[in-house]
Amino acid sequence: MVVKSVTLLSVYWYPEKSQQAVLTPQFLHVITSQSLQCFTVRCSAAVAHEEDLYMDTTLKACPPVSMDVCALRIQLFIGLKAICHFKNHIILLTKAEPEDIPERRESPKRLLSRKDASVKSRIPHVAEAGWNLYIVNTTAPVQLYKEMVDYSNSYKTVKTESCLHLLSEAHLLVRAALMDVSQLEPAEKAELLEAFKESCGHLGDCYSRLNTEQAHLALPYYKMSGLSLAEVLARVEWTEGNESQKYERGLIFYINHSLYENLDEELSEELAGKVAQIFHVAEPKQLPHVLSSPSMKNIDPLIALHYLRKLDTCGASPVLVTLTKAAVALKMGNLDMYRNEMKSHSEMQLVYGFILEPRLLIQQWKGQIVPTELAIDLKETQPGLLVASVLGLQKNGKIGIEEADSFFKVLCGKDEDMVPQLLVDFWEAQLVACLPDVVLEELFFKLISQYVWRLSKRHCPDTLPLRTAEDLINACSHYGLVYPWVHVLMTSDSLADKNYTEDLLKLQSLICSPSLDIVSVIPYLEPLSEDTVAGLSAQVLCHTRLQEYEKCIDTLLERCPEAVIAYANRELKEEHWILWWKKLLPELCHRVKCGGDRYHLHLSLLKGCQEVWPKFRVSLLTSRNLDLRNLVGCCCGTGPEGFLECSPRRWGGSIFSALPPFLQPEEITNLMVSFAAQWHK
């Protein structure tokens, strides 16, 4: 067997030389020559600290293994020789010395065989030692526990270290009896569990009233006792009308920690007032945090305000005190006082105050998020402050991403499937703030999905957005600049409501974002109909990001020719410049040649190329790599392979008929000569 570790648990001192010992989970029984002695052991404490991961936390506690052991009982016996243990019994073997045994007289009723009698008569009488076997019934753990607790009541008025030691021994006694619950009867197990909880409550009382370094242990012991906060407060000895009453650290720690947890317990007005009194006396800086607890909602607002007004000189955060006063004033219905308090600090200072105490905005009750009255009022009066405050909470790790989303949905009265505008404002603020714990891709998809849903459903925001598309573009690099040709496209189909325009601009800006993987976002755009300007612009923007320029030119010429020149001016540059004469100009020439309803529009687009024509002309006249056969064939409508079928006479009716607005006559002549020379080769 490989031993993991060896730890010394306890050291025992006996008043005389020991002869033998028996160890049980509850006790150590030792025999000397004249007595049976019983000592406490630390087996249950060692097991608890070794096996329970939650031990020595705010959830659970156990007396330390190093605590001094004590003798419970010493019982006199003569001639103790051996000891053993069986269940709840101690078995002792004793041997009396010969001189201690009185002379025996043979009983006249004793029947002996004739053979035995003859033998006995020939052996001289010798006194023999007396061997005795005793069974000692040990006291039941619950009974012994009750005796120890009754004895500790002599320290009821003044808790001492001795009282704490005694109650700790009683607790370990019950804990040891519960080590193997499979061997217990149901009634016995229930009795032990009840005793265990009671012992935890007694230990909590000790630590809450003793001035000791271990005062914080009041919290886990009270938790293990199953007592509610109100029941613990009922055990406190209050001095009526005495605001200078002293309260020990253990009680303060327990109440403060309990109020920070979601206990789902509302204190009565009386108990809430007493809690406020405790912290006013012992920990005044904590009073704003205490009053923000959901458990304190029944406190008399006048009492709360009375104590808050005394905090101005105690070193508490002024902005936190101000926000707590504002919350109390709002609860009282004193709107003038509420507004004055909220105006006494800047918005950034108020955000800092909410970071110090998030429960002024967000509380939890029975596992559900509950916005406070203050949050509900800010939603209507200062939504920007509310969004900035929740963003500050998230940035400082006071609230999670999903919790923040749920808060805004509950605040705005929306179910899980509906997204209020205030939540969209919060997502936009997250993107602007670039929070490190936010997955950028997920935030992109949230916003794009919402913009697309509202555009496809023609659904207006339920409140006025806090930021316009221009604000977001100026404040955040993740919102890209919308290309000028997009504005031309949008003017061709004006939207009825400005809110739709804002959603569309924000969507287009995100598609233009350099931070966005355009391939991953395309599936989210499917709800947009291609018959709308929203669907058309999103489609062309995505194809442009994928450098599918020819497809974009075809789409724009078919759906919105007015934007094609602006698109080409913006996108067909550098290595894509060749698409002007390989794609756009031949397409325009072909459409002019075909006439139709859009003849004048296509012709005006050709004329609109005058701004780009100087560069195009230089390319035509100087480029050695220009494939004139390709250009002429495309402009004649026969394609590059049909160049040889085109006679120079047809050139004049094709591309050259479209060139006069851009070239001088002599330049056209030179081009025709060049084309003819190339054609004759």
Side-chain angles (χ1 to χ4, degrees), residues 442-461:
E442 292 182 2
L443 197 53
F444 273 129
F445 294 157
K446 284 181 180 180
L447 286 168
I448 289 175
S449 297
Q450 186 58 24
Y451 296 149
V452 168
W453 182 84
R454 291 205 298 222
L455 288 169
S456 62
K457 301 294 183 180
R458 287 300 217 196
H459 190 279
C460 293

Side-chain angles (χ1 to χ4, degrees), residues 651 656 668-678:
W651 302 344
F656 298 111
I668 296 176
T669 303
N670 292 336
L671 279 175
M672 293 179 66
V673 171
S674 299
F675 288 171
Q678 186 168 347

Side-chain angles (χ1 to χ4, degrees), residues 149-307:
V149 172
D150 289 341
Y151 183 73
S152 71
N153 287 333
S154 59
Y155 303 95
K156 186 173 182 180
T157 55
V158 180
K159 297 295 183 182
T160 64
E161 292 290 343
S162 298
C163 176
L164 178 61
H165 192 169
L166 181 59
L167 290 174
S168 297
E169 293 287 4
H171 174 82
L172 289 177
L173 178 66
V174 178
R175 185 184 281 272
L178 288 169
M179 286 177 62
D180 189 4
V181 294
S182 62
Q183 302 297 322
L184 300 174
E185 296 294 331
E188 185 181 5
K189 177 181 176 182
E191 188 179 20
L192 283 170
L193 289 175
E194 186 64 27
F196 178 81
K197 291 183 178 180
E198 183 184 275
S199 71
C200 292
H202 290 316
L203 286 174
D205 292 340
C206 277
Y207 282 110
S208 67
R209 299 171 192 176
L210 276 175
N211 185 13
T212 172
E213 293 182 357
Q214 305 297 319
H216 63 278
L217 293 177
L219 174 63
Y221 280 119
Y222 274 140
K223 283 188 175 182
M224 292 191 297
S225 72
L227 294 171
S228 67
L229 176 58
E231 290 171 334
V232 171
L233 292 174
R235 298 160 78 107
V236 178
E237 297 178 358
W238 307 95
T239 303
E240 294 296 334
N242 183 11
E243 290 194 358
S244 62
Q245 180 179 355
K246 183 179 180 182
Y247 303 97
E248 297 297 343
R249 290 181 299 164
L251 179 63
I252 301 299
F253 182 80
Y254 165 73
I255 298 175
N256 194 26
H257 200 285
S258 297
L259 292 177
Y260 265 104
E261 297 180 348
N262 301 315
L263 296 179
D264 298 336
E265 178 185 0
E266 291 184 5
L267 297 178
S268 65
E269 180 179 338
E270 179 185 1
L271 286 179
K274 289 181 177 180
V275 169
Q277 176 190 334
I278 290 176
F279 283 90
H280 167 66
V281 173
E283 291 284 347
K285 290 183 181 180
Q286 292 295 322
L287 191 56
H289 301 285
V290 169
L291 294 175
S292 301
S293 170
S295 300
M296 296 286 289
K297 66 179 299 183
N298 293 325
I299 189 172
D300 185 347
L302 293 177
I303 293 178
L305 205 56
H306 167 72
Y307 289 132

Side-chain angles (χ1 to χ4, degrees), residues 100-137:
D100 296 333
I101 302 176
E103 183 179 350
R104 297 183 195 176
R105 295 180 181 179
E106 185 176 342
S107 173
K109 295 182 180 180
R110 185 174 181 184
L111 300 177
L112 298 174
S113 66
R114 193 176 295 176
K115 181 179 179 180
D116 291 339
S118 62
V119 174
K120 289 287 185 180
S121 61
R122 291 194 294 267
I123 298 176
H125 177 75
V126 179
E128 295 182 1
W131 290 88
N132 299 312
L133 192 65
Y134 295 92
I135 296 179
V136 180
N137 296 325

Side-chain angles (χ1 to χ4, degrees), residues 529-545:
S529 173
E530 296 181 3
D531 296 333
T532 63
V533 67
L536 176 61
S537 62
Q539 178 187 17
V540 176
L541 280 171
C542 289
H543 289 314
T544 300
R545 289 287 307 274

Side-chain angles (χ1 to χ4, degrees), residues 322-445:
T322 294
L323 286 173
T324 311
K325 287 181 181 178
V328 174
L330 190 62
K331 183 178 180 180
M332 296 170 59
N334 191 340
L335 297 182
D336 291 335
M337 177 183 175
Y338 165 69
R339 295 188 187 100
N340 290 334
E341 294 291 344
M342 295 299 290
K343 290 178 181 178
S344 61
H345 294 279
S346 67
E347 182 173 301
M348 288 305 298
Q349 289 174 321
L350 294 176
V351 170
Y352 173 70
F354 286 123
I355 294 173
L356 292 178
E357 184 45 76
R359 292 176 297 177
L360 287 168
L361 291 177
I362 306 171
Q363 296 180 354
Q364 286 201 4
W365 187 258
K366 296 183 178 179
Q368 301 295 321
I369 292 177
V370 180
T372 63
E373 293 181 44
L374 185 55
I376 294 172
D377 183 82
L378 291 178
K379 168 182 171 289
E380 302 297 335
T381 59
Q382 294 179 271
L385 171 60
L386 180 61
V387 169
S389 299
V390 178
L391 186 67
L393 295 180
Q394 184 181 348
K395 187 175 182 179
N396 288 271
K398 299 296 183 70
I399 188 174
I401 297 175
E402 294 182 0
E403 187 180 0
D405 290 358
S406 298
F407 165 73
F408 281 109
K409 289 183 179 181
V410 174
L411 178 65
C412 299
K414 304 295 183 182
D415 57 27
E416 286 298 321
D417 296 330
M418 297 295 292
V419 178
Q421 174 58 39
L422 206 58
L423 179 53
V424 177
D425 293 327
F426 177 66
W427 290 341
E428 292 172 350
Q430 284 182 312
L431 201 56
V432 172
C434 299
L435 299 183
D437 59 332
V438 175
V439 179
L440 197 59
E441 188 178 47
E442 292 182 2
L443 197 53
F444 273 129
F445 294 157

Side-chain angles (χ1 to χ4, degrees), residues 494-605:
S494 59
L495 298 172
D497 195 302
K498 185 177 183 298
N499 290 319
Y500 296 138
T501 305
E502 283 299 317
D503 282 339
L504 180 54
L505 286 173
K506 291 176 182 179
L507 174 62
Q508 293 166 343
S509 179
L510 283 182
I511 296 176
C512 295
S513 171
S515 309
L516 183 66
D517 178 14
I518 196 63
V519 175
S520 62
V521 83
I522 290 178
Y524 292 88
L525 303 175
E526 291 180 357
L528 292 177
S529 173
E530 296 181 3
D531 296 333
T532 63
V533 67
L536 176 61
S537 62
Q539 178 187 17
V540 176
L541 280 171
C542 289
H543 289 314
T544 300
R545 289 287 307 274
L546 296 173
Q547 297 188 357
E548 298 175 352
Y549 299 109
E550 295 188 38
K551 185 181 293 186
C552 294
I553 291 173
D554 289 335
T555 301
L556 289 175
L557 285 173
E558 185 65 30
R559 298 286 311 283
C560 185
E562 298 90 339
V564 71
I565 299 301
Y567 175 85
N569 286 334
R570 170 63 176 77
E571 306 298 341
L572 303 185
K573 296 179 179 180
E574 298 178 356
E575 68 270 17
H576 306 297
W577 176 257
I578 196 172
L579 290 178
W580 274 94
W581 56 78
K582 287 187 66 175
K583 181 65 179 178
L584 180 57
L585 286 176
E587 282 289 340
L588 286 175
C589 290
H590 175 70
R591 291 171 187 266
V592 168
K593 176 183 176 182
C594 293
D597 296 338
R598 292 186 173 182
Y599 170 79
H600 294 289
L601 174 60
H602 293 146
L603 187 60
S604 65
L605 292 176

